[in-house]
Amino acid sequence: MDTNALYNEWLEKATADPDLRKELEEIKGKDDEILDRFYRSLEFGTAGLRGVIGAGTNRMNYYTVGRATQGLSDFLNKHFESPSIAIGYDSRIKSEYFSKEAAKVLAANGIKVYLYEELEPTPCLSFAIRHFKTSSGIILTASHNPAKYNGYKCYNENGYQMTDEEAEETYGYIQQVDYFTGIKTMDFDEAVGKGLIEFMGEEIINAFLDEVIKQCVNPGICEKADLSVIYTPLNGTGNKPVRKILDRIGVEKVYVVPEQENPDGNFPTCPYPNPEIKQAFECALKMAENNKSDLLLATDPDCDRVGIAVRSNDGEYQLMTGNEVGAMLLNYLLSCKKEQGTLAPSSIAVKSFVSTDLAEAIAKKYNCTFKNLLTGFKYIGELITQLEAQGKSKDFVMGFEESYGYLAGTHARDKDAVVASMLICEMAAYYKTQGKTLIDVMNGLYDEFGYYLNIVKSYTFEGASGMEKMAEIMDGLRNNAPKSISDYKVTKIDDYKTSLSTDTQTGKAAEITLPKSNVIAYALTDGNKLIVRPSGPEPKIKAYVTAVGKDKSSAEIIADRLLQEADSLMK
C-alpha cells in the first residue's frame, strides 16, 4: 500500500484521538508531510518504540502504541500462564494518556496491570516489576530527547530491557496486528472495577526509597557537612523522589530551580533536557550567581541519568563528565567499604566497555573484580540477575555508563538517578568534611592513576552508499588491522563480532563471552585505546579514544594524535 493510500485510510478510520484528526486534515494535499508520516512503521526493538508524536505509522500515537501493546499482549499470553505487567510514565506530552491506553489493551487481553498513579522515574518501573513479580514492564518516555518525541520502553520479568530475542519475537506479533481492527481494548473504569488494572500508590515509592537508602555508606555525614545543593529535575520525574531521598539522608539545603521544578513535557527552558550538555545547567548556573551552593545536580526527564557541576575553590562551577563521576563514585564506595570492613572479598564492579578505563585501575587497587560489558544498561542488569541467581547479589558494588547512567544496589536493573543523586551528595559531603571539593578528589585520582581523557567522535556517511561505505571500513579494520595507531603499538584486538580477543604479541586468541556486536577495540601501549563501532541504524561510525597522560595537557596531545589517526582510518 502506498503512502497516500495509507493516509486516506487513516483519514477515514483514525477517529479515536481528535488530535490525530486535526493533524491529518491539516496535511491534506501535502505530499512531503504525508510521506514523512507514512513511509514506514515505527520499529520495535530492545529499546521498544521511539518517535515524534503525531499522526501516522511513523509517529507515536494512539494506534501505534495500541498496536505495539496488542503485540506485546500476544507475546505475554504465549509465554506466561497468568501474565501481569507494571506500567510507568514520565512528564512527556501524552505519556500519561499512552500509559492508560496501553493498560486498557492489556486488560482486554486478560493481563493484570499495575499502573503508577502519577509520573515516576524509570528505575521505579524496574523496581515495581520485581516487587510485584510481573511478567513484563512498560514505561512511556523518550529519555532526554527533545519535546516532540515520546517512546515506549519494554522490560522483561527480570526488570531490565528486553533482550534481542524477546524484542524480535514481540515485533513479529506486532507486525500481525491491524491498526484499526486488530487491537483489543476495554473501558478503563471497568478494568479497574474488575481488578484488571490496579494503581500503585505511595507505598511502592516508599518501598523503592527504602531500598535506595540502604546504599548509603556514611549515614549522617550530610548533616555534619552542611552541604548545599541546587537541583533541577528538568521538568521531569525526579522532583519528588530525589528531594525525598536527599531529605532522608539529611541534605537540608536543597534549592530547586523554579522554572524547571514541575512536570512540563514542552521543556520550555531547556529544549534538549540532557544532563550531558551544558545547556541543561543554564538555569541552575544563573540561580547559583546568588546562591553559591556546593553542588549543582540535574536529572533527565525520566530520572535515570544525572549530571553535576561542582563549585571550585575560586567560586566557578565546573561540569564533570559521566566518566569522572563514575570513577569517583566507584573509588568512594570501594575506599569507604574497605575502611569499614564491609567490602566483600568477591566484590564486583562493572561498566560499559566504552567508558573510562580509570575505573578498572581503581578497582584493581581494592582487589575488586571488574567487568566490561557491551553498551546498554540491560547487560549490567543481566549481570546482577546472574549474581542474584548464584546468591552473590551483595558482591555487586556498582555499574555505570559514560552517558551519565549509574546504579548501586540491586533494587533496580536499570540506571537510577535517584540512588546516584543520593550517593553523589553523600560523597560530596564526605569530602567536604575533609576540606575537599569533588574537583579536588578527581584531580587526586588523576595524580594517582594518570590522566584518562575520553573523547567520542562521530563520522557520518550520507546517501545510499553510506551504509556500504561503513561496512567497507569495518571490514577493512577487521581484516587488515593496523599494527600501530599513531606512535602506539596495537597490543590487543578485541573483535566483538567474531568474539575473539587476540594478543598481537603472541598471536593467541581468547573467546569474548559477550553477545556478538559489530565493534572493534584496539588496546594500545601505555593504556591508550581506540574503539570503533557503527551507531545502530544511523549512517555513522563512532570512534572512542582513550588517551592516558601524566597530566591533562599530555593526555590532550596523545588524544589529538589518536583522533588524527582515526580520521585517516575512516576514509
Side-chain angles (χ1 to χ4, degrees):
M1 187 178 289
D2 64 30
T3 55
N4 280 309
L6 270 175
Y7 165 74
N8 287 326
E9 183 184 20
W10 276 61
L11 190 61
E12 177 189 350
K13 298 178 180 179
T15 58
D17 183 345
D19 290 344
L20 300 187
R21 297 294 309 158
K22 181 180 177 184
E23 183 179 341
L24 289 165
E25 291 288 353
E26 287 174 349
I27 64 171
K28 188 177 289 187
K30 299 177 181 178
D31 290 345
D32 289 345
E33 298 275 6
I34 292 170
L35 178 65
D36 187 49
R37 287 163 175 77
F38 291 97
Y39 80 95
R40 69 174 188 129
S41 294
L42 288 179
E43 290 188 9
F44 183 95
T46 55
L49 302 174
R50 185 170 296 185
V52 174
I53 302 162
T57 57
N58 188 33
R59 293 287 190 270
M60 285 288 295
N61 57 60
Y62 170 89
Y63 295 99
T64 53
V65 168
R67 183 176 184 247
T69 309
Q70 182 61 54
L72 175 62
S73 299
D74 294 338
F75 169 83
L76 294 175
N77 276 320
K78 177 187 176 184
H79 290 280
F80 298 90
E81 187 173 337
S82 299
S84 59
I85 193 165
I87 302 179
Y89 60 93
D90 70 0
S91 62
R92 287 185 174 272
I93 297 165
K94 288 187 178 289
S95 277
E96 182 179 6
Y97 168 69
F98 289 151
S99 73
K100 289 183 175 179
E101 293 304 320
K104 288 160 61 176
V105 173
L106 289 153
N109 283 273
I111 297 170
K112 174 63 181 280
V113 178
Y114 296 92
L115 177 65
Y116 271 115
E117 60 186 1
E118 67 175 356
L119 72 173
E120 299 294 351
T122 288
C124 293
L125 184 275
S126 178
F127 172 80
I129 291 168
R130 301 183 65 254
H131 179 85
F132 289 104
K133 296 181 172 57
T134 64
S135 318
S136 182
I138 300 167
I139 187 152
L140 280 301
T141 177
S143 189
H144 53 274
N145 282 82
K148 66 180 181 178
Y149 286 88
N150 209 327
Y152 176 108
K153 285 166 66 173
C154 243
Y155 290 71
N156 63 21
E157 72 272 26
N158 296 313
Y160 52 83
Q161 286 184 47
M162 277 187 164
T163 64
D164 292 337
E165 294 77 14
E166 291 166 334
E168 185 177 353
E169 185 178 347
T170 301
Y171 188 42
Y173 282 112
I174 293 169
Q175 289 177 300
Q176 296 173 34
V177 178
D178 183 271
Y179 286 100
F180 304 108
T181 62
I183 303 167
K184 298 177 185 177
T185 189
M186 68 185 296
D187 180 76
F188 187 86
D189 292 335
E190 180 188 353
V192 172
K194 289 183 175 179
L196 287 166
I197 296 176
E198 180 181 325
F199 282 108
M200 294 182 279
E202 190 72 17
E203 71 279 3
I204 304 304
I205 298 304
N206 288 334
F208 169 80
L209 295 176
D210 288 344
E211 291 300 313
V212 168
I213 205 164
K214 291 178 183 178
Q215 299 310 309
C216 285
V217 290
N218 285 296
I221 196 71
C222 294
E223 292 102 330
K224 294 177 184 177
D226 192 33
L227 189 73
S228 177
V229 178
I230 291 176
Y231 171 56
T232 171
L234 297 176
N235 300 117
T237 60
N239 187 34
K240 288 184 180 182
V242 170
R243 291 169 75 173
K244 283 181 180 178
I245 202 67
L246 296 186
D247 180 65
R248 282 203 193 189
I249 64 169
V251 184
E252 296 178 356
K253 295 180 179 178
V254 179
Y255 307 98
V256 182
V257 176
E259 309 97 306
Q260 298 172 336
E261 177 178 4
N262 296 318
D264 187 341
N266 292 299
F267 310 117
T269 58
C270 188
Y272 296 93
N274 183 352
E276 295 183 58
I277 61 176
K278 187 176 182 179
Q279 185 194 47
F281 285 90
E282 284 181 356
C283 290
L285 286 166
K286 188 169 184 61
M287 188 174 175
E289 291 174 4
N290 300 312
N291 181 338
K292 300 296 184 183
S293 290
D294 301 302
L295 192 67
L296 309 184
L297 197 70
T299 54
D300 69 343
D302 68 325
C303 198
D304 63 353
R305 302 174 192 236
V306 58
I308 65 170
V310 180
R311 188 175 178 226
S312 63
N313 293 323
D314 63 6
E316 297 299 313
Y317 285 90
Q318 179 178 318
L319 270 66
M320 308 204 80
T321 69
N323 279 319
E324 289 176 325
V325 174
M328 280 193 295
L329 279 173
L330 180 61
N331 181 74
Y332 172 68
L333 293 171
L334 290 175
S335 62
C336 289
K337 286 174 181 285
K338 183 176 182 182
E339 184 181 330
Q340 296 166 4
T342 59
L343 184 63
S346 52
S347 61
I348 183 169
V350 62
K351 68 177 180 67
S352 62
F353 69 111
V354 298
S355 302
T356 181
D357 291 334
L358 173 57
E360 196 163 356
I362 292 168
K364 186 177 181 181
K365 175 182 176 180
Y366 295 98
N367 296 315
C368 173
T369 299
F370 201 89
K371 287 188 177 291
N372 287 285
L373 301 178
L374 295 179
T375 300
F377 225 88
K378 66 180 178 183
Y379 297 112
I380 296 176
E382 194 172 37
L383 174 68
I384 297 171
T385 302
Q386 290 167 359
L387 289 172
E388 187 177 59
Q390 298 164 12
K392 298 179 179 179
S393 58
K394 290 185 178 179
D395 290 349
F396 178 72
V397 178
M398 71 167 286
F400 78 96
E401 291 185 329
E402 43 82 35
S403 53
Y404 293 60
Y406 319 93
L407 176 65
T410 61
H411 57 283
R413 302 295 155 90
D414 207 341
K415 47 193 178 286
D416 179 6
V418 181
V419 74
S421 296
M422 180 191 77
L423 287 173
I424 288 167
C425 289
E426 183 187 282
M427 174 173 66
Y430 174 79
Y431 290 116
K432 186 179 179 182
T433 62
Q434 300 174 18
K436 298 177 184 177
T437 69
L438 293 183
I439 297 170
D440 298 327
V441 174
M442 195 66 234
N443 287 336
L445 292 175
Y446 285 143
D447 289 342
E448 182 177 358
F449 297 101
Y451 197 99
Y452 283 70
L453 181 60
N454 300 90
I455 298 175
V456 184
K457 186 171 183 179
S458 294
Y459 300 86
T460 302
F461 300 87
E462 298 286 4
S465 61
M467 299 302 278
E468 291 181 12
K469 179 64 176 176
M470 287 167 58
E472 181 184 313
I473 289 171
M474 294 302 295
D475 287 343
L477 292 172
R478 185 166 281 116
N479 300 324
N480 300 290
K483 295 182 178 179
S484 63
I485 296 175
S486 185
D487 301 327
Y488 303 94
K489 288 183 179 179
V490 175
T491 59
K492 187 177 70 167
I493 302 172
D494 290 337
D495 188 338
Y496 292 86
K497 187 175 183 179
T498 62
S499 297
L500 291 176
S501 176
T502 305
D503 184 320
T504 60
Q505 309 303 308
T506 64
K508 291 182 178 179
E511 183 184 2
I512 298 173
T513 57
L514 291 175
K516 292 184 182 295
S517 184
N518 191 13
V519 180
I520 304 173
Y522 300 105
L524 311 175
T525 48
D526 300 333
N528 301 300
K529 185 181 285 186
L530 173 66
I531 300 175
V532 181
R533 73 177 184 96
S535 180
E538 295 180 301
K540 292 181 180 179
I541 291 179
K542 287 188 175 182
Y544 298 80
V545 163
T546 296
V548 185
K550 293 181 179 179
D551 51 31
K552 184 177 182 180
S553 60
S554 61
E556 286 175 339
I557 291 170
I558 295 168
D560 285 343
R561 291 174 181 167
L562 295 178
L563 285 169
Q564 286 177 22
E565 191 75 13
D567 289 345
S568 64
L569 292 172
M570 296 301 134
K571 294 179 181 177

